[in-house]
Structures are given as C-alpha cells and as structure tokens.
Amino acid sequence: MPGFEIFGEDERREVQDVLETGVLFRYGFEQARNGHFKALTFEKNLGKYIGAEYCHLCSSGTAALSIALASCGIGAGDEVVVPPFTFVATIEAVLNAGAVPVFTEIDETLCIDPDGIENVLSPRTKAVLPVHMCGAMARIDEIKSFCDRKGLALIEDACQSLGSTFNGKGLGTFGRMGCFSFDYVKTITCGEGGAVVTDDKELYLLADQYSDHGHDHIGSDRGLEGHPILGANYRISELNAAIGVAQLGKLDSILGTQRRNKTILKEAMSGFSDISFRTLPDEAGDSATFLSFFLPKEEKARNVLEALGRAGVDGCFYWYANNWHYYRQWEHLKKMTAAARLPAEILEHCPDYDKIELPRSDQIMKRTISMLIKLSWSDEQIQERVEKIQDVLKG
Ligand SMILES: *Cc1c(COP(=O)(O)O)cnc(C)c1O
C-alpha cells in the first residue's frame, strides 16, 4: 500500500534538484531556483491525474481538511455530518474549525450510508464530509445528490483513496472540495504533505490564500502582495513536494500491483461461506490498498483475527478495537479534552459523544477485518499467504 515501500532513485533525484539550488520555499526566488518549481509541478500533475480543474498542495491531509472547511465557509457552530469510521483527523479538523461533528451511520461500503444522513440533519447542518475509507469509495453519487437536494456543501476526505474512481471519475472530484494526504503510510508519500482539489476557481483561490496567511500570490514580490483574507500557514516545502513529483509518477504502477495482489487474495478467500466482502459501488475503481471482509459474528471475527496472527499473516486490522480509526476508542473526543479551550459555540451544541449510539456501524465494524495489500510481496510470498489464510479459514 504505502509509497514508502518503493522509495528510490527517482525521489532522490527530484530532491537533489532542490538541494542544489537551496530554494526550499515554493514561492518566489525565481532567479535562484534554476527552473525548479516542485510544488507547482506536483499540483499540475496531480490535478490532471485526479481530474480536477484546480489543485493546491499543503502540509498534510489534516491541513487539507482545515483548508477545505475554511474555504467553504464552515465555522463556528456549523454542523458537519461525519462517519464514525475514519482517521481521527477528520473529526479534529471539524472541531478546530469551531464546527460540530455530527456522526451518522456507515453501511457495508464502510463509508457513510447516504440513506441515513437525513436522520441527523438540523437547521445548523452546513456540510457532509464522507471519508472514502481503506482505498475505496462511498456511494458518492447518492451522497452528492442528497447534498445537492438539501443545499449542503459536500467535502470529500479522500486521504486514503488516491487513484480510486467511481464510474471513471476520481474520488475527491464529486464534492465542492476533495482532500488528500501524502503522509508516510498513504498510497504515495511526500514524507508529510496534503492537497485540496476543486473545480471552483473561487474556492481554489481561497484555499491558496488561506494556506499562506492570506497572501494573494499576485506578482513575485511578497512585500507588495495583497491580503484579501486572514489565513494560516499550511504550506508545503519544495523538498516534500519534490518527493511527491517522483511518487506520483509511480502511482499507476502502484495501483496495478495492488489490484493484482488483491485479486489473488480475494479469489483465494471467496470459496468460504463465512466470508463476505466489503461492498464496492464500483469494483473497477477500487485502488485496492486493503482487502476488507466480514465474518458473520463478532466472536468469529476476533477468532479469525487471532488465528491469522498466529499463522504469521501480518497486516491484518480489526478497526473496531483500533484507537485511531473508530469513534468508540476516542477517549479524548468523549471527554472533549482539547489542548486549547474549545469555543463556547462548540461545547454548547455538541452532542454528548460519550453517549452516542451507532448500532448499525457497531454491528458492521465488529465483524470487519481489513488486510493491508503490499507492493513488495514476491509471487512466493503471496502464495504462502494464500495457503496460510486458507488454513485459518478451514479451521
Ligand atoms: C491520513 C488521514 C488523514 C490525515 O492526513 P495527514 O496527512 O496524516 O494529516 C485524514 N483523513 C484520513 C481518512 C486519513 O487516513
């Protein structure tokens, strides 16, 4: 799955370009940078790859979420519909915007169930933030038409699903804005990095300005630039962007390897009546970073997980008990413990996160195991895995 598995000569060459000029900043220094614009190049290539009109790089996926929320005008007291199964960064970004995360149930896509969103709407709901988990898509067309019907902003967290598509259209391009991460364990990595994409020029300009203290980036003299808005610093450095340029060039081959490896494992498991697979609204668009499957009952899932571990099948995740990805384990959220004091607007309107119940999501997550698909497996290693998995499932 992760880009770090194939870090090599191309990455070093791109970084070397930057080191030779010494220009580590993405803006200005036109004379000294010797024609190297790594952030700009990565943005252009990435936007094209995803199929978005505009793309802006930033320092992380978490930053991308904050930028998207700010650009879409989501702030104090606004409610944002989120799934309980995500990386906790999604929730942090909403709270740090001064907005209120409101949980809704997932379905067997492991993403937000479009049919459940209506139940959690209030007059304060401003946005829906689905997360395309584990490399594949939510029922994003239905979520989009729901948002359009209700006049809600759709922001996609596609941090785990770069290169994944639904009916040929890139994830991240269905909503007003899409967010990506290039941290060290994502499909491709910059070390640290992120991006927002959009087809809306105005949103793009806001994102560009917000990530750099409101600078309008008109002209090359920073001292003379205008500042239409207040912002923050979510800039990416040229060094990180340089790695991204090289990694993006490998994305097609990464996806090809993942899909091939995943197909072998999936076929090897499909004869077992106890196993059913995650629903994929468009299987061809799956980026295949994970193989996720369900057992009929929680106890069975826990037993299979343990047996896989004993058999030496590594990279298996039981998200239900994982303290980074499922709301049940988020102690800090339940206690609303934040380093900085949370604004009154949030505290006043937040549900009691310790008491919320999401029975359908629990039922799904209790039965779910995800297997990481690696790029570096040899044919022998895959065959060995197949045999071990089949032994466990027979037992
Ligand atoms: C990784 C991730 C993020 C955050 O990305 P960072 O680059 O680590 O800040 C946000 N959402 C999801 C779903 C993620 O997996």
Side-chain angles (χ1 to χ4, degrees), residues 59-65 85-90 131-133 157-160 180-186 192-194 325:
S59 50
S60 70
T62 312
L65 288 161
F85 178 44
T86 178
F87 179 54
V88 69
T90 318
V131 184
H132 301 291
M133 282 303 279
D157 181 339
C159 285
Q160 295 193 5
F180 293 88
S181 164
F182 312 111
D183 78 23
Y184 198 52
V185 295
K186 296 302 202 281
E192 300 285 357
H325 291 88

Side-chain angles (χ1 to χ4, degrees), residues 63-94:
L65 288 161
S66 292
I67 293 165
L69 288 163
S71 304
C72 292
I74 313 290
D78 295 337
E79 291 183 4
V80 180
V81 178
V82 293
F85 178 44
T86 178
F87 179 54
V88 69
T90 318
I91 313 304
E92 290 171 334
V94 173

Side-chain angles (χ1 to χ4, degrees), residues 92-306:
E92 290 171 334
V94 173
L95 285 167
N96 287 332
V100 174
V102 174
F103 289 101
T104 190
E105 298 269 25
I106 58 165
D107 61 20
E108 294 202 345
T109 64
L110 301 182
C111 305
I112 283 182
D113 177 358
D115 299 328
I117 303 174
E118 180 101 52
N119 300 333
V120 300
L121 297 187
S122 89
R124 286 187 295 276
T125 313
K126 288 283 156 52
V128 180
L129 210 175
V131 184
H132 301 291
M133 282 303 279
C134 302
M137 70 295 300
R139 287 152 65 194
I140 192 64
D141 53 338
E142 293 171 67
I143 296 174
K144 178 170 170 43
S145 37
F146 179 85
C147 289
D148 288 348
R149 220 163 45 241
K150 299 284 180 182
L152 299 169
L154 172 61
I155 299 171
E156 295 170 80
D157 181 339
C159 285
Q160 295 193 5
S161 295
L162 177 65
S164 184
T165 54
F166 176 77
N167 290 346
K169 186 171 158 62
L171 299 189
T173 66
F174 287 82
R176 299 194 70 196
M177 296 192 110
C179 304
F180 293 88
S181 164
F182 312 111
D183 78 23
Y184 198 52
V185 295
K186 296 302 202 281
T187 307
I188 66 170
T189 187
C190 285
E192 300 285 357
V196 288
V197 299
T198 182
D199 285 337
D200 183 325
K201 186 168 185 188
E202 222 163 288
L203 288 178
Y204 162 71
L205 289 175
L206 283 169
D208 174 70
Q209 293 160 1
Y210 183 76
S211 324
D212 183 25
H213 307 293
H215 281 281
D216 65 10
H217 302 134
I218 295 170
S220 59
D221 186 341
R222 274 179 88 74
L224 295 178
E225 281 178 63
H227 302 94
I229 57 165
L230 287 165
N233 176 5
Y234 292 128
R235 293 185 305 254
I236 194 163
S237 92
E238 282 289 276
L239 285 171
N240 295 89
I243 298 170
V245 171
Q247 288 260 305
L248 185 62
K250 301 174 176 177
L251 182 53
D252 277 333
S253 115
I254 291 176
L255 296 176
T257 306
Q258 284 176 174
R259 285 172 180 149
R260 174 183 154 272
N261 291 351
K262 178 169 175 173
T263 302
I264 297 171
L265 295 185
K266 193 168 180 179
E267 277 171 8
M269 290 170 65
S270 57
F272 294 88
S273 59
D274 267 359
I275 301 281
S276 58
F277 295 101
R278 166 189 185 174
T279 304
L280 293 166
D282 175 17
E283 188 151 13
D286 177 14
S287 73
T289 56
F290 282 94
L291 173 58
S292 300
F293 54 94
F294 308 114
L295 280 302
K297 288 251 158 38
E298 174 179 3
E299 194 192 353
K300 184 83 202 235
R302 287 183 184 264
N303 291 344
V304 165
L305 183 84
E306 204 187 85

Side-chain angles (χ1 to χ4, degrees), residues 196 228 310 357 360:
V196 288
R310 258 185 284 125
E357 287 296 332
R360 177 125 182 269

